[in-house]
Amino acid sequence: MAEFTLPDLPYPYNALEPYIDARTMEIHHQKHHGGYVSKLNDAVGKHPELQGRSVEELLRGIDQVPEDIRTAVRNNGGGHANHSLFWQIMGPDAGGDPTGDVGEAIRSAFGDFGSFRDKFAAAAAGRFGSGWVWLILGDGGKVEMVDSANQDTPLMQGRVPVLGLDVWEHAYYLNYQNRRPDYVKAWWNVVNWGAVEKQYQSARG
Ligand code: MN3
């Protein structure tokens, strides 16, 4: 049973160069994200009663997932959901200042875009080992920044991510080696604010 499938990237592997190189994108998408999908299918395949659940449903209800596959769903379901969002909110000919309602929400929460980037960079640098930095929807349309370890997702706390940055070494090591801050700085050039706005509006329902 292969219930979950690896989504295609909405752009070619080389589309984010020079900020993220094609080889990194290809390995990241096919091997890493592909691996999460495959292992998620193996886990969920052991429990036919879970068939038809979306990955978001599984993660929001992680405490109700059968114990023998809970860790596998947390890691690989998280990996699947996180990367599916990550590919969507990047793109070629992107970057610049945040636009739309999400841009307003960011300025309202953090001041100007520079202050927001500084806080994001500090969270990315401070995340020891592997993890993510997130912008999530808060109360009343506000946005908040959080970070998480491994493939843990804000969905497990009932929160909805609108923007996420992968700070696992596999996301940047070929091009940036140990220079995570350089990767984080360059990453803003590939953030597609139109796509982030879509996530924000969809999260608000
Ligand atoms: Mn990754």
Side-chain angles (χ1 to χ4, degrees):
M1 183 171 66
E3 198 177 340
F4 298 99
T5 55
L6 180 64
D8 289 335
L9 290 191
Y11 38 77
Y13 287 125
N14 65 2
L16 307 184
E17 290 191 345
Y19 308 108
I20 306 182
D21 63 283
R23 183 88 177 118
T24 295
M25 287 299 292
E26 184 174 356
I27 296 171
H28 199 175
H29 178 249
Q30 290 187 7
K31 306 295 182 190
H32 293 279
H33 190 175
Y36 299 129
V37 169
S38 160
K39 288 178 188 146
L40 176 63
N41 280 325
D42 289 347
V44 173
K46 293 175 188 158
H47 286 272
E49 75 275 15
L50 297 177
Q51 203 173 0
R53 301 263 185 101
S54 71
V55 68
E56 290 82 7
E57 286 173 319
L58 290 168
L59 292 163
R60 279 196 295 261
I62 192 70
D63 293 340
Q64 282 79 52
V65 168
E67 205 174 349
D68 64 312
I69 63 163
R70 194 175 300 154
T71 299
V73 169
R74 177 177 175 172
N75 290 337
N76 298 293
H80 179 35
N82 294 344
H83 288 84
S84 297
L85 173 67
F86 189 54
W87 311 134
Q88 286 298 326
I89 54 98
M90 298 190 291
D93 307 316
D97 286 354
T99 52
D101 291 342
V102 75
E104 287 300 313
I106 287 170
R107 283 184 285 276
S108 160
F110 301 97
D112 60 13
F113 184 38
S115 308
F116 171 59
R117 274 182 311 199
D118 289 346
K119 289 204 171 77
F120 217 86
R127 167 49 57 193
F128 184 76
S130 297
W132 290 75
V133 184
W134 304 98
L135 187 72
I136 61 169
L137 181 67
D139 296 330
K142 293 198 173 99
V143 288
E144 298 168 21
M145 198 182 68
V146 297
D147 61 301
S148 68
N150 305 315
Q151 294 296 351
D152 285 355
T153 158
L155 291 167
M156 295 192 308
Q157 276 85 48
R159 313 306 295 273
V160 185
V162 296
L163 170 78
L165 170 61
D166 187 344
V167 297
W168 284 54
E169 281 189 345
H170 69 222
Y172 62 87
Y173 201 82
L174 290 182
N175 204 19
Y176 295 92
Q177 292 82 49
N178 62 319
R179 303 188 311 277
R180 183 188 286 181
D182 291 351
Y183 156 71
V184 174
K185 195 173 168 197
W187 181 70
W188 295 109
N189 291 292
V190 298
V191 172
N192 177 347
W193 289 109
V196 177
E197 173 74 1
K198 265 191 205 163
Q199 293 295 333
Y200 175 73
Q201 296 298 349
S202 142
R204 295 185 75 180

